[in-house]
Amino acid sequence: MVAQTFFDLENTNQELKSELKDLFINSAVEMDIAGNRKAVVIFVPFRLRKAFRKIHLRLVRELEKKFSGKDVVLVASRRIVRPPKKGSAAQRPRTRTLTAVHDAMLEDVVYPAEIVGKRVRYHLDGSKIMKIFLDPKERNNTENKLETFGGVYRKLTGKDVVFEYPITEA
């Protein structure tokens, strides 16, 4: 369904046609988010993420028109490598650690907004919630999607996240 929509966009939308010509996706998943909302998560190859970021705003706007009522999120496909065994000479790159991949996924989910701060709140029962502060400059583009961002990130990583904008003193 998503691939067909990409194909239609490439054929009908003149401004996106040249950029979409060389791009492709790995997979797409539809997720249920709290409050009977739905989100379409599109996984793009890691090598093409920069090209997708150039046209991100226009592409997401067009895709959300096609999938009426669903939020669209683009995430790069990344690999998590297990820690090397004791005595092994093999080193795993820092970008392949669980923490690095989860942080990079968080950046992908909230794009075009930037993360300006993170706080981890630990509750007495041992659970923890991450508070992510987003750049207020992109507030008008992303404010209605904060719940979607949290739900998608929870489904992908299993971590609870709350998105906010920092309070600025005038």
Side-chain angles (χ1 to χ4, degrees):
M1 181 172 101
V2 176
Q4 183 63 46
T5 309
F6 257 82
F7 183 73
D8 294 345
L9 275 179
E10 190 178 333
N11 288 334
T12 57
N13 193 324
Q14 291 304 316
E15 64 179 81
L16 287 174
K17 184 174 184 153
S18 59
E19 284 105 347
L20 281 176
K21 182 178 65 193
D22 301 324
L23 301 179
F24 58 91
I25 64 171
N26 282 350
S27 64
V29 180
E30 189 174 308
M31 293 182 177
D32 294 322
I33 310 299
N36 71 14
R37 294 177 73 173
K38 289 190 182 297
V40 177
V41 181
I42 300 172
F43 291 95
V44 300
F46 180 76
R47 292 174 180 217
L48 296 178
R49 83 183 188 290
K50 280 188 178 160
F52 271 103
R53 285 202 168 170
K54 284 181 187 166
I55 60 168
H56 188 277
L57 277 173
R58 289 180 289 165
L59 183 64
V60 167
R61 193 178 316 116
E62 292 296 324
L63 288 172
E64 284 177 350
K65 278 186 211 166
K66 297 270 195 226
F67 308 124
S68 56
K70 296 178 186 171
D71 293 324
V72 176
V73 178
L74 297 176
V75 179
S77 297
R78 292 181 168 86
R79 172 165 288 139
I80 299 172
V81 178
R82 70 171 67 233
K85 297 268 191 276
K86 294 285 184 237
S88 168
Q91 281 276 314
R92 89 177 147 165
R94 286 269 191 253
T95 57
R96 306 290 196 287
T97 62
L98 179 91
T99 309
V101 170
H102 284 187
D103 286 347
M105 266 187 192
L106 187 62
E107 296 272 345
D108 285 348
V109 167
V110 301
Y111 192 82
E114 280 184 33
I115 296 172
V116 294
K118 288 183 194 177
R119 304 284 183 274
V120 180
R121 187 157 185 200
Y122 295 92
H123 291 282
L124 287 173
D125 63 354
S127 63
K128 61 182 181 178
I129 294 180
M130 281 180 20
K131 278 190 175 182
I132 307 296
F133 296 104
L134 300 176
D135 192 2
K137 282 186 281 196
E138 290 291 335
R139 188 177 198 138
N140 54 356
N141 287 345
T142 56
E143 191 161 27
N144 56 349
K145 290 186 178 184
L146 295 182
E147 195 176 295
T148 302
F149 291 163
V152 166
Y153 190 72
R154 185 176 303 111
K155 286 266 186 353
L156 291 175
T157 63
K159 294 179 179 177
D160 286 330
V161 180
V162 175
F163 292 99
E164 297 177 3
Y165 295 98
I167 301 152
T168 53
E169 286 116 34

